[in-house]
Amino acid sequence: MCGIVGYIGHRDAAEIILKGLQRLEYRGYDSAGMAVINGQMDVLKVKGKVKELLKMTRKKKVHGSLGIGHTRWATHGEPNDVNAHPHMGAYRKFALVHNGIIENYDVLRQDLGQKGHHFAGDTDTEVLAHLIEEIHEMSDVDFTEAVRLALTQVEGTYGIAIVHKYHPDRIIVARKGSPLLIGIGDGEYFVASDASPVIEFTKKVVYLEDDEMAVISREGYEVSTLKNVPLTKEVHELAMNLEQIEKGGFPHFMLKEIFEQPDTIADCMRGRLIVDENRIQLGGLTGVEKRLASARRVIIAACGTSWHAGLVGEYLFEYLAHIPVEVEYASEFRYRETLINEQDVMLVISQSGETADTLAALRQARKRGAMVLGICNVVGSTIARETDAGVYTHAGPEIGVASTKAFTAQVTVLAMMAMMMGRYKKVLSDELMAELVRELNRVPSLVKMILRDTKKIEEVARLFTYAPNFLYLGRSYNFPVALEGALKLKEISYIHAEGYPAAEMKHGPIALIDEHMPVVVIAATDHTNDKMISNVEEVKARKGRIIAISSNGQSEVGKLAEFTITIPEIHDCLSPLVAVVPLQLLSYYIAVNRKCDVDQPRNLAKSVTVE
Ligand code: M6R
């Protein structure tokens, strides 16, 4: 949420910052800005996307070999030029970019106001800039120390980068609750809130931890705690490559990522699904099986699409491993008296590994003695680092704000975990295990079959492009898929959509159905098929327009539907992996028809690192 990039070295910082901000734009795109030092300090800020900043930079011919930049997702203060970062104090000597929220900003603002500070905008970040200035101007400490002292006074979360007009030899960075890394080049260094702006220049990075700050010069970097204790940091090697973060000929990242799924699901299973031996091997969970098997309950905590994957996980763990599961919105869990203790296991699921609510739930669970496991996509992310053990999804960078390939990879990991635990607990029979291993192994080719011919989905998308509402119905394993289909449509096309367990219809939502209401029915599970037919009949009786996502064996539902999108047959419990794909495509094509900004939908950001 919001993106930070910084550069110090021998190249043109403005160009590197602009390119970096474009790569980070998926994290927020309300406004953008940068500060570049070259004798003087040029500060450019503009409402809107990075392309506006690019135009401004070209016009003003800004260059320099040191600078910082920011792309914003507004929390405090509306998106406008003034509230855009960087922020400066009254003397305009330094510039600050910030991700996160300074929670005590109001108290600080009042206090600084009484000392004569005037604020140009409404942001919490501007307050921090004034606080640093106040400490620097009014006490006998150098600028770096002023930053450190200011940070000891703030409550909340931050990832910050600061440059000073009269210290053109350094960038100061600090982190608490909002990710930040330093990219190490040859006589040049990069700062970024995630690896995407850095990867083109170096694969060597150092991750800052909470309550750490660093001073970065052309000669090197020094990391210390906020209490001024020097630290030696491990240098990590980034696993991603540049190709993975480019569109590769697709019009949108989202479409590219949907089409990548045969590969990402295969990557996720590689070395883990041992087909010849009917076995699952999840190295990241070695040593924790016993505790997981004996857990009083597993609490899955996640947000958004990852929460939907968690719901599928609940069904899978119960069915295959006989492990009781509760699925929690991380944002609710963190503020509830959930009575979690050391007999429980928490499993957090997060694509980014940086979602603030999920991280808070994890920390709460740990504090109360529960073992915490993680399913994350971004290697080295905060959540991945703070869990006791876990499994990476290996889906590669997901740039489209609407999550697609991360979902199928998460469900693939959950299926493998459930199978592994079922075997460990000896509750999953040889026959079913063998069948599921075979079925899981087929998933990449089945998804490929769906992607080979998308004409029917495009036709349905055309017909319903301007529908104001949609309902999605599923049962059992595909109830979470109904929720996910509705979320995808809402996020990128701004059509109101609801997902329901099909049988819940008659308890209320059925009142919404008339001859204008498109109802997407996911009929891909055998064991609830008869019930689903009855639910579809109920919709038909009220003249709802039925769009069935139906596996080959579900022809009864197909007969009732106005449109049928056929998906290949697969074992019930793995059907979400194929059933979700047409729903991703349906929302994509509808959004494109409506001329929506698919990769950067309004009001959203890719990873939500604030509460
Ligand atoms: O990175 P995470 O998986 O923790 O993110 C959770 C949600 O913010 C995320 O899934 C969000 O709902 C997506 N925009 C869904 O497409």
Side-chain angles (χ1 to χ4, degrees):
M1 189 145 262
C2 302
I4 287 178
V5 62
Y7 176 78
I8 180 163
H10 44 80
R11 306 188 217 207
D12 188 352
E15 288 307 309
I16 289 173
I17 290 166
L18 283 168
K19 205 185 242 186
L21 290 180
Q22 275 164 337
R23 295 208 195 286
L24 280 175
E25 211 167 14
Y26 71 106
R27 296 181 65 105
Y29 31 81
D30 290 338
S31 58
M34 69 168 148
V36 174
I37 298 184
N38 184 12
Q40 60 190 31
M41 183 168 77
D42 290 311
V43 178
L44 312 180
K45 310 186 337 161
V46 62
K47 180 182 169 181
K49 297 201 172 178
V50 177
K51 62 176 191 264
E52 302 305 323
L53 182 67
L54 186 117
K55 280 186 216 151
M56 197 185 243
T57 313
R58 297 274 184 274
K59 204 163 143 202
K60 299 204 167 165
K61 298 192 173 39
V62 171
H63 300 289
S65 57
L66 164 65
I68 52 174
H70 190 260
T71 174
R72 179 169 185 244
W73 184 85
T75 56
H76 293 59
E78 66 170 284
N80 59 29
D81 294 357
V82 176
N83 288 335
H85 300 211
H87 286 283
M88 291 167 284
Y91 299 116
R92 304 177 72 85
K93 289 185 193 165
F94 68 91
L96 159 72
V97 292
H98 166 223
N99 288 353
I101 297 177
I102 307 297
E103 285 167 2
N104 59 338
Y105 85 103
D106 209 21
V107 177
L108 294 171
R109 190 182 167 109
Q110 281 173 32
D111 187 41
L112 289 162
Q114 280 163 11
K115 290 176 177 152
H117 288 256
H118 295 285
F119 298 92
D122 317 302
T123 68
D124 51 334
T125 308
E126 193 187 1
V127 175
L128 177 57
H130 279 258
L131 180 63
I132 294 170
E133 180 173 74
E134 171 71 19
I135 294 172
H136 186 42
E137 298 296 330
M138 294 300 158
S139 56
D140 192 22
V141 294
D142 72 9
F143 185 65
T144 308
E145 183 61 3
V147 173
R148 196 182 67 76
L149 289 173
L151 292 178
T152 61
Q153 292 185 34
V154 301
E155 286 163 20
T157 55
Y158 53 79
I160 56 166
I162 308 177
V163 289
H164 195 295
K165 193 159 130 178
Y166 301 127
H167 299 289
D169 58 345
R170 71 187 74 160
I171 304 178
I172 301 170
V173 293
R175 163 192 171 144
K176 184 178 185 182
S178 193
L180 215 54
L181 58 84
I182 303 170
I184 305 170
D186 190 7
E188 60 181 353
Y189 292 85
F190 305 82
V191 172
S193 45
D194 72 39
S196 53
V198 164
I199 192 76
E200 186 174 346
F201 305 103
T202 179
K203 292 208 159 186
K204 286 199 194 118
V205 298
V206 163
Y207 296 102
L208 282 196
E209 299 292 339
D210 281 356
D211 299 311
E212 290 180 1
M213 64 185 284
V215 180
I216 307 161
S217 68
R218 290 179 180 80
E219 286 74 46
Y221 58 91
E222 286 171 10
V223 184
S224 59
T225 66
L226 278 189
K227 292 193 171 141
N228 233 346
V229 180
L231 297 168
T232 306
K233 299 285 292 181
E234 189 185 341
V235 176
H236 295 261
E237 185 85 12
L238 291 173
M240 65 162 86
N241 58 50
L242 195 58
E243 219 173 68
Q244 288 177 306
I245 56 169
E246 293 188 330
K247 282 190 202 148
F250 284 88
H252 298 99
F253 280 111
M254 183 182 175
L255 192 62
K256 177 188 174 220
E257 287 157 7
I258 292 172
F259 273 79
E260 276 174 351
Q261 288 177 112
D263 293 333
T264 52
I265 296 169
D267 289 345
C268 182
M269 298 190 300
R270 186 158 300 117
R272 295 163 164 181
L273 181 76
I274 321 290
V275 181
D276 301 344
E277 299 171 23
N278 277 332
R279 195 162 65 80
I280 303 283
Q281 177 178 301
L282 294 172
L285 297 182
T286 309
V288 304
E289 299 95 329
K290 194 169 169 204
R291 188 145 170 210
L292 183 54
S294 57
R296 180 175 64 147
R297 56 183 177 160
V298 170
I299 298 174
I300 297 182
C303 304
T305 288
S306 298
W307 185 80
H308 297 156
L311 282 180
V312 180
E314 177 179 26
Y315 288 67
L316 288 165
F317 272 54
E318 288 171 354
Y319 171 52
L320 299 174
H322 299 187
I323 294 177
V325 176
E326 285 168 26
V327 187
E328 297 275 356
Y329 282 117
S331 55
E332 286 295 312
F333 178 86
R334 62 184 294 193
Y335 292 115
R336 272 200 6 243
E337 193 49 69
T338 46
L339 309 179
I340 188 168
N341 64 28
E342 63 289 343
Q343 296 169 35
D344 301 313
V345 169
M346 174 173 273
L347 172 61
V348 288
I349 306 176
S350 174
Q351 186 286 128
S352 62
E354 303 294 348
T355 299
D357 287 321
T358 310
L359 185 58
L362 174 170
R363 287 177 177 164
Q364 186 175 325
R366 285 200 86 170
K367 208 159 84 196
R368 299 197 177 176
M371 179 174 78
V372 183
L373 307 178
I375 298 177
C376 287
N377 192 36
V378 177
V379 177
S381 55
T382 311
I383 290 177
R385 281 180 287 137
E386 290 201 17
T387 43
D388 295 305
V391 183
Y392 281 119
T393 45
H394 294 315
E398 189 180 67
I399 312 281
V401 166
S403 190
T404 51
K405 64 176 180 172
F407 175 81
T408 45
Q410 289 163 345
V411 173
T412 303
V413 169
L414 287 160
M416 289 192 292
M417 274 180 85
M419 287 159 70
M420 187 184 89
M421 290 312 298
R423 295 301 280 172
Y424 183 86
K425 288 182 68 182
K426 301 194 180 14
V427 293
L428 176 55
S429 69
D430 292 351
E431 297 71 33
L432 183 53
M433 179 67 178
E435 185 187 354
L436 291 179
V437 166
R438 275 196 311 275
E439 289 288 84
L440 201 50
N441 197 37
R442 288 169 66 223
V443 171
S445 60
L446 301 186
V447 172
K448 210 176 257 172
M449 278 166 68
I450 298 173
L451 296 173
R452 211 170 282 148
D453 182 5
T454 60
K455 276 197 233 61
K456 190 66 179 263
I457 305 171
E458 289 178 64
E459 182 200 333
V460 174
R462 247 190 325 274
L463 285 165
F464 291 99
T465 290
Y466 296 103
N469 298 290
F470 261 78
L471 276 179
Y472 287 73
L473 304 180
R475 294 188 75 118
S476 172
Y477 300 99
N478 286 304
F479 157 53
V481 174
L483 294 177
E484 177 59 8
L487 176 64
K488 288 290 87 85
L489 190 70
K490 280 185 269 210
E491 278 187 296
I492 61 168
S493 71
Y494 320 136
I495 295 176
H496 172 244
E498 300 280 355
Y500 275 99
E504 271 296 302
M505 280 283 297
K506 54 189 170 298
H507 299 287
I510 201 159
L512 295 169
I513 294 180
D514 62 14
E515 67 276 23
H516 305 298
M517 177 67 89
V519 183
V520 180
V521 176
I522 304 130
T525 29
D526 279 341
H527 76 282
T528 54
N529 190 29
D530 292 349
K531 305 285 170 208
M532 190 56 139
I533 293 169
S534 313
N535 300 143
V536 176
E537 291 278 16
E538 288 155 14
V539 175
K540 200 174 168 68
R542 285 149 187 93
K543 299 195 170 52
R545 304 197 59 186
I546 300 163
I547 303 156
I549 309 296
S550 166
S551 57
N552 301 338
Q554 310 285 318
S555 50
E556 281 309 310
V557 173
K559 276 183 213 152
L560 294 170
E562 191 176 345
F563 306 94
T564 302
I565 295 165
T566 306
I567 55 171
E569 268 182 89
I570 184 160
H571 190 285
D572 273 11
C573 74
L574 301 176
S575 58
L577 289 167
V578 290
V580 77
V581 178
L583 303 188
Q584 296 168 341
L585 286 166
L586 182 65
S587 61
Y588 172 80
Y589 291 123
I590 289 179
V592 169
N593 293 344
R594 290 166 68 99
K595 306 210 175 348
C596 296
D597 191 342
V598 170
D599 283 334
Q600 295 175 351
R602 72 183 180 207
N603 305 339
L604 294 178
K606 182 67 184 164
S607 55
V608 184
T609 53
V610 293
E611 271 194 58

